Amino acid sequence: MACHERGPEVVMEHDLEQTMAVLERTPGTLDALVRGLPDLWTMRNEGGESFTVFDVIGHLIHGERADWTTRARLILRHGESKTFDRFDRFAHKRESEGKTLGELLNEFAGLRKQNLEEVRSWKLGPGELAKRGRHPGFGPVTLSQLLATWAAHDLTHLHQISRIMAHQYRELVGPWRVYLGVLHCKGHGAQAAEQ
Amino acid sequence: MACHERGPEVVMEHDLEQTMAVLERTPGTLDALVRGLPDLWTMRNEGGESFTVFDVIGHLIHGERADWTTRARLILRHGESKTFDRFDRFAHKRESEGKTLGELLNEFAGLRKQNLEEVRSWKLGPGELAKRGRHPGFGPVTLSQLLATWAAHDLTHLHQISRIMAHQYRELVGPWRVYLGVLHCKGHGAQAAEQ
């Protein structure tokens, strides 16, 4: 991980292999974590309109189909001249209907593999990573930021899944509740689903 | 998941198979998530004295050796007459020294397998699960609460690992930072390591 000085602060350079290393591990991680789990863990939410684990996997699938590589291609082809479409945070509700969790996990793994192959085929260098596109809310963003966010977005949903699951045991743990950090993590569930 | 009325609230009964389903998946989940990752992800922390991913796996190993089944045996044999030893939250620093992350993952998987086999061999029923032991801080706790906490403790550390990893990309994601919930999760890292 190379660093270079830019004014008073040290800025970390984006090494795409570090990002790919996370992205390629996520399907296997989710598979190991939730495939075959009893519904208690995967079909319950944190109350209200919050996501279940099943919803989160559906949301990740929609991202593979409609967000990450779609936006990356837009940056590479059109730069800032075309604004990204807004991401539909509820599309997965329709798209996941009637499917099993196992089917969603398979679908996610297949799409992710295909998308990472596509990204590798672009043979991105520093010039491409610095290219800018236009986000409907933020304005200019770089391809580097988009790809780093793809990996961090996986991590934010892994974080969310562990929290949704732990929530189901909030009473059963009795007095240990005070020591379990995951049970005190609140207020960013909705944010985490945004893009 | 059976529920029964107790006064005005519905109390969820502890189904041990639900707990075992999480506990048996954790080694594979951590393996899929972090084995072979570049050091950026596994050897950096969130600043100060906070844990790296490597530290977290070491901490989980120490729990397998010194905490969960040790305390469970104490409850089954001695009930409330013997207080649990305090858990050493820094023992793993010594014990992990000189080991690779891959070695720690292997060690954790082996110990977890062995511990779950031991728990299954006890053939626990509702009578045993309701048995009480004595925690040095909380006082009386049940075997049921201890075992539920073991699973929730896995989830709290998965939550922590995803947060430690995401922290390394907090700058690279640029403006998306505001939408990534995991980057706004603060203040319970230290709590999460307690038991």
Side-chain angles (χ1 to χ4, degrees), chain A residues 139-150:
Chain A
V141 288
T142 65
L143 179 58
S144 167
Q145 289 166 342
L146 176 74
L147 297 175
T149 301
W150 190 6

Side-chain angles (χ1 to χ4, degrees), chain A residues 19 25 156 169 179 182 191, chain B residues 19 35 156 169 179 182 191:
Chain A
T19 298
R25 279 166 175 78
T156 217
Y169 261 29
Y179 284 156
V182 68
Q191 275 186 325
Chain B
T19 297
R35 187 183 292 269
T156 218
Y169 263 28
Y179 284 156
V182 67
Q191 277 186 324

Side-chain angles (χ1 to χ4, degrees), chain A residues 175-176, chain B residues 70-85 127-146:
Chain A
W176 271 287
Chain B
T70 306
R71 289 180 170 186
R73 277 191 299 265
L74 209 66
I75 295 176
L76 290 170
R77 290 183 197 160
H78 302 285
E80 292 185 64
S81 68
K82 286 200 180 175
T83 303
F84 305 155
D85 286 339
E128 287 85 20
L129 287 173
K131 274 200 85 172
R132 287 175 167 204
R134 184 165 296 275
H135 185 281
F138 302 140
V141 289
T142 64
L143 179 59
S144 167
Q145 289 167 341
L146 175 74

Side-chain angles (χ1 to χ4, degrees), chain A residues 42-190:
Chain A
T42 59
M43 302 306 282
R44 296 195 188 188
N45 66 12
E46 298 172 276
E49 294 298 301
S50 66
F51 278 16
T52 63
V53 170
F54 183 88
D55 290 331
V56 175
I57 312 291
H59 167 78
L60 289 171
I61 288 172
H62 187 69
E64 294 305 301
R65 287 200 193 285
D67 186 345
W68 309 107
T69 51
T70 307
R71 289 179 170 186
R73 277 191 298 266
L74 209 67
I75 295 176
L76 289 170
R77 289 182 196 159
H78 302 285
E80 293 184 67
S81 68
K82 287 200 178 174
T83 303
F84 305 154
D85 287 338
R86 285 188 184 273
F87 188 81
D88 181 350
R89 295 199 297 116
F90 299 99
H92 67 91
K93 295 267 184 196
R94 281 192 312 280
E95 295 168 0
S96 303
E97 229 172 66
K99 295 183 183 168
T100 65
L101 182 67
E103 286 167 347
L104 293 189
L105 289 165
N106 293 345
E107 196 175 343
F108 175 60
L111 288 167
R112 173 60 59 91
K113 187 163 179 289
Q114 198 177 306
N115 283 335
L116 294 185
E117 280 166 10
E118 183 177 351
V119 173
R120 288 207 186 275
S121 77
W122 296 336
K123 302 191 192 310
L124 300 171
E128 288 86 17
L129 287 173
K131 274 199 84 169
R132 287 172 168 209
R134 185 166 295 277
H135 185 280
F138 301 139
V141 288
T142 65
L143 179 58
S144 167
Q145 289 166 342
L146 176 74
L147 297 175
T149 301
W150 190 6
H153 180 261
D154 278 6
L155 295 169
T156 217
H157 285 292
L158 182 60
H159 186 256
Q160 182 186 21
I161 286 174
S162 62
R163 197 186 63 224
I164 297 167
M165 290 175 65
H167 181 79
Q168 312 311 324
Y169 261 29
R170 66 199 180 282
E171 288 168 12
L172 290 181
V173 298
W176 271 287
R177 185 172 180 169
V178 296
Y179 284 156
L180 293 163
V182 68
L183 295 176
H184 302 277
C185 178
K186 289 201 176 75
H188 50 264

Side-chain angles (χ1 to χ4, degrees), chain B residues 164-175:
Chain B
I164 297 168
M165 290 176 64
H167 181 79
Q168 313 312 321
Y169 263 28
R170 67 198 180 282
E171 289 168 12
L172 290 180
V173 298

